[in-house]
Amino acid sequence: MPATIVVGVDGSGRTHRLAEIAVAFPGPVLELPGWTEPAQAWADRLAAATTGTLIVVDDAHRLPGAVLRELAAAARRGVPMLVARRPTIDRPELAELDEALAGGGTVVLEPLDLAAVARLTGRLTGRRVTASEAARVHAASDGRPAIVAALAGAGHGTTPALVARVQRHLARRPPAVTALARVLALRHGVPEPPEGVPGSPGRGDSRELPDATLAAAAGIALPDLAALMRDLRDSGWFAGTGETLVPAIAAAIRQEASPAERRRVHDAVASALMATGTSAVPAAEHLRAARARSGAAAVIYQRAGEQLRFSRPADALAWFDDAAACGVPLPGLAAGRAEAAALLGHPHSPDVPPGADPEGRLTLVAGAVAAHDGRAGRAAETLLAATAPGPVLAVPALMVVGRLDPARTAARTPAPASLLRLAEAALATGRPARALPLLIEAAEAVERAEPAVVLPDTPHALGALVAVTAGDQATAEALLRRALASTVGGPVAAQRHRLLLAWVRLRAGRYDTAAEELERPAGAPLPGREALLWAALGAGLARRRGDLARMRQSWTGAEPILARGAVDLLQIEAVEELVVTAARLRGHRRIEPVLGRLEQIVADLGAPPAWLVSAHWIRLQVAVALEEPAVAEQGAAALRAVAREAGAELGDRQQAQCAAAGMWAAVLRDEVDAPAVLAAAERLAEVELPWEGSRLAGQAALRVRDPAVARWLLERARGLVFVKEGVAPVEPRPTGGVLSDREQAVARLVLAGRTHREIGAQLYISAKTVEHHVARIRTKLGATSRAELVTALHETLGETQPAIRVSTTGGRSPNPGA
């Protein structure tokens, strides 16, 4: 047998492999005494060895130099030899022996793979090992056979056998190795926080301490670090080829140390980090683990909060709490706490003495919070009064409340490049087609370098709203998906982006996202801006499903917000949804000032055609809901005038709305040109207004005299509503508003349980006319069944609903026994 060298770290199975190879030797095998034997004992045995005897040497790296030289000489004489050692050759004598054996083979022991770990664990436990158990042991042991053996059958924790192995090893090593191992066992500078203390997303990763910090924390000289790290690697304590401890070894080291010792090491690491001036967060984490409450710790806690307030605001608040517990005055923490809280959607108003906010950060937060609350005018005033970049941040708010000249002035003040791009885009808000590419560019700039301020709104949200007005749903969705992926603007913005995505899809006829968002479990109360959007989302979905109860609920939630009068240009479509809902419920008169305010904003911006169309369209839709032909004609005339004056400046969406306006007015006069109506309805659907197109065709179908044409229109109306696969179909339900006097009379008789013939006889009209009235009533109230109709009539007429029974013929009549 030629000479063979077995190379592997401690615990890799060197001794086991030696025995496997030695069994194959045909002659006598001489296992020389261990490394603790005197050199003379080695010399005597080696002198007697012949070429027919296999010399087996384990742990050659531990032998004295004289013995290694004797072994090298015997190897050169041709004595068969089997030697096991660590990977590192750190002495000339070991190198000499390795060279003498170089003509033979070298066996390098690698970690066990997953299948080998499963087999070894199975042999040791005497049972079948599940795949999950094998994976757990493999991950904890890094495939080191000795560690696998110590963990076999241990469940999810470490074992006394492994802790004892670690203790034995540390007892034999210099104190410097123990100190270094304990520092490394703290997961390379990211400790576990005490129970109940919020941690950080990075906790438990393999982030490494710089060499100088590591050496200082362990109390060793920097030049000695490399040799000590090599010693730990040869001990089999590092995973793979890196410098991260094998997880089970690190856990055993931490378990072996007392709590006081672990706190001492944390404190040493924190001190080293502070001395080297690295990031405050790792130092703060170690100080927290050490339960430090000193003045120096307070400074680090505050720095950690400031460092994380925009990237991880929840963690930042926890660090500010730690700083306050160490005695940092609350006014000194107010700005950072306000920024983090605003990003989480939990704004607060700290009581800060004059002069306690020299950088003006609290004013910037106050302006952003006002914007989040839907008070764009107040946000604009607050930000204009703030230090830079406050005036630039005020530009979008100034534009949406109609203050064009102050916005132009503010856009010229100093600010980061990304905010200047946002201001430039906001100045073009009056012309959505021009503003949209600028807002996309601003969104990209903010993603690359998000400014260290709380944004009143993100360019992604502004771009999505402008894109909806431009009829570009694809761009709106793309912007919102990017915003959610990049987490721009923090958690409070993520909430806004989700709601806007649901809103965009609702307007485009995709109701599944809106339903999912409305069913999301309630967390903290929504800011006013998002509360209004949420109500519009609920109202829109309820209108499309004919759900009167949900319509009323959404309107009840929105009315107090609208009563503040704090609406802005970009809320115009949400307001439209709510106003039409209010008209259905006969409550729209109470928010007439809101419509007036929106129209004034449009006028103050110079009556840009796109927004002028949106304002007139609301008036038209209210007239349709109330079935007021004269008012609808006025709205249609106004839209026709805008189309004439603006011409090609109008986008496709606005042109489609202007064309449909005349059809709406004609339909309300019972003048139905079916092909023209359908053409207008289909054009609305093409510009992402399928519901409006469906309602137009559906209303026309109810008024046309030819049954075949009516059926055709209804079928086409249903086809205009896009329904995402897997979502229950939502039938288009053309709706109206209050009932006429004749319809109210018919309705009361229906509630009384009268048949169509009986109603006709009492009102001196034909049964066919009664049927026509009932159909119109159903349409106005959005009822699709007799049960829904009866419920809706009681709500509309304000009468107490009697107990009813369902007849066998499908009708309903009062229950005499009720």
Side-chain angles (χ1 to χ4, degrees), residues 169-182 218-220 228 264:
H169 183 88
L170 293 177
R172 292 196 296 263
R173 310 307 299 151
V177 173
T178 301
L180 180 59
R182 284 181 173 162
I220 59 178
L228 295 172
R264 187 199 65 77

Side-chain angles (χ1 to χ4, degrees), residues 158-159 162-164 166-167 185 246-257:
T158 186
T159 64
L162 184 58
V163 173
V166 167
Q167 287 175 328
V246 173
I249 292 292
I253 292 172
R254 292 196 296 270
Q255 183 172 328
E256 182 269 341

Side-chain angles (χ1 to χ4, degrees), residues 7 71 110 126 163 218 291 420 482 540 560 623 720:
V7 180
L71 286 169
E110 299 290 347
V163 173
R291 302 178 186 175
L420 289 173
R482 279 175 48 180
L720 292 177

Side-chain angles (χ1 to χ4, degrees), residues 175-184 209 211-221 225 228 264-265 268-269 272:
V177 173
T178 301
L180 180 59
R182 284 181 173 162
V183 173
L184 292 171
L209 295 171
D211 284 354
T213 306
L214 185 58
I220 59 178
L225 180 63
L228 295 172
R264 187 199 65 77
V265 176
V269 173

Side-chain angles (χ1 to χ4, degrees), residues 187-265:
R187 297 193 178 189
H188 288 268
V190 191
E192 295 285 352
E195 183 177 355
V197 176
S200 63
R203 191 176 69 250
D205 63 16
S206 59
R207 188 172 63 205
E208 296 181 0
L209 295 171
D211 284 354
T213 306
L214 185 58
I220 59 178
L222 183 59
D224 297 337
L225 180 63
L228 295 172
M229 294 288 281
R230 187 171 58 244
D231 185 288
L232 289 174
R233 180 182 301 283
D234 285 347
S235 298
W237 283 15
F238 283 152
T241 59
E243 295 181 352
T244 302
L245 290 179
V246 173
I249 292 292
I253 292 172
R254 292 196 296 270
Q255 183 172 328
E256 182 269 341
S258 67
E261 178 62 22
R262 289 197 297 271
R263 288 195 295 272
R264 187 199 65 77
V265 176

Side-chain angles (χ1 to χ4, degrees), residues 280-292:
V281 177
E285 287 170 334
H286 281 284
L287 287 170
R288 175 186 277 167
R291 302 178 186 175

Side-chain angles (χ1 to χ4, degrees), residues 9 95 108 217 230 235 241 270 384 416 418 427 439 481 495 505 570 612 633 679 689 749 807:
V9 299
V108 178
R230 187 171 58 244
S235 298
T241 59
L384 282 176
S418 58
L427 286 175
L439 284 164
R481 286 196 301 268
Q495 185 178 59
R505 290 177 174 171
L570 293 181
L612 198 56
E633 178 55 41
L689 292 173
L749 292 171
S807 71

Side-chain angles (χ1 to χ4, degrees), residues 336-702:
R337 289 184 64 86
E339 288 164 337
L343 287 170
L344 291 169
H346 304 146
H348 66 289
S349 300
D351 184 12
V352 182
D357 183 34
E359 298 176 344
R361 289 163 57 187
L362 285 171
T363 307
L364 291 173
V365 172
V369 169
H372 298 171
D373 196 36
R375 300 181 183 275
R378 180 178 298 176
E381 291 296 337
T382 303
L383 291 169
L384 282 176
T387 56
V392 167
L393 286 171
V395 173
L398 289 166
M399 287 298 299
V400 299
V401 296
R403 299 181 60 189
L404 182 57
D405 290 338
R408 288 170 175 163
T409 302
R412 294 192 291 268
T413 57
S418 58
L419 295 182
L420 289 173
R421 289 185 183 277
L422 176 56
E424 177 191 6
L427 286 175
T429 302
R431 289 168 173 77
R434 179 185 170 196
L436 188 53
L438 296 175
L439 284 164
I440 294 172
E441 187 178 356
E444 293 169 350
V446 168
E447 287 174 19
R448 288 193 299 269
E450 188 169 357
V453 293
V454 180
L455 293 174
D457 206 353
T458 67
H460 305 72
L462 296 173
L465 289 166
V466 169
V468 167
T469 301
D472 188 352
Q473 185 231 353
T475 297
E477 283 204 36
L479 279 168
L480 294 168
R481 286 196 301 268
R482 279 175 48 180
L484 289 168
S486 63
T487 67
V488 63
V492 71
Q495 185 178 59
R496 175 162 175 74
H497 296 145
R498 283 198 315 271
L499 282 168
L500 282 172
L501 185 59
W503 170 254
V504 168
R505 290 177 174 171
L506 173 77
R507 296 290 284 180
R510 298 170 61 186
Y511 308 138
D512 55 323
T513 308
E516 290 171 5
E517 192 61 38
L518 291 170
E519 291 168 2
R520 184 184 295 274
L526 290 171
R529 181 176 62 188
E530 274 56 80
L532 184 69
L533 184 60
W534 192 89
L537 198 61
L541 189 60
R543 274 210 308 135
R544 286 153 179 80
R545 290 180 170 173
D547 186 344
L548 287 171
R550 185 57 189 263
M551 288 168 60
R552 183 171 288 105
Q553 179 185 352
S554 298
W555 169 241
T556 301
E559 190 174 15
I561 303 172
L562 290 171
R564 301 184 310 182
V567 292
D568 61 63
L569 186 69
L570 293 181
Q571 293 173 326
I572 197 164
E573 291 203 8
V575 170
E576 174 196 332
E577 200 72 61
L578 291 166
V579 168
V580 175
T581 299
R584 293 275 327 268
L585 301 171
R586 296 185 294 180
H588 64 289
R589 303 294 182 194
R590 294 197 293 274
I591 56 169
E592 177 64 29
V594 172
L595 297 182
R597 174 63 183 142
L598 286 172
E599 290 165 348
Q600 185 61 53
I601 290 172
V602 173
D604 291 343
L605 290 175
W611 299 104
L612 198 56
V613 168
S614 295
H616 288 320
W617 182 258
I618 296 180
R619 295 288 188 183
L620 174 70
Q621 292 302 305
V622 172
V624 169
L626 296 173
E627 289 204 6
E628 296 177 341
V631 179
E633 178 55 41
Q634 292 173 6
L639 287 166
R640 284 194 295 268
V642 175
R644 284 194 306 271
E645 295 172 8
E649 188 177 348
L650 283 181
D652 290 343
R653 182 188 181 105
Q654 286 74 40
Q655 290 180 10
Q657 288 174 303
C658 291
M663 292 298 102
W664 269 119
V667 166
L668 290 183
R669 295 193 304 268
D670 291 332
E671 299 172 5
V672 179
D673 181 346
V677 165
L678 187 58
E682 289 177 341
R683 194 173 178 191
L684 286 172
E686 289 171 1
V687 295
E688 310 295 353
L689 292 173
W691 168 249
E692 285 74 3
S694 176
R695 290 179 63 237
L696 174 57
Q699 285 280 13
L702 292 174

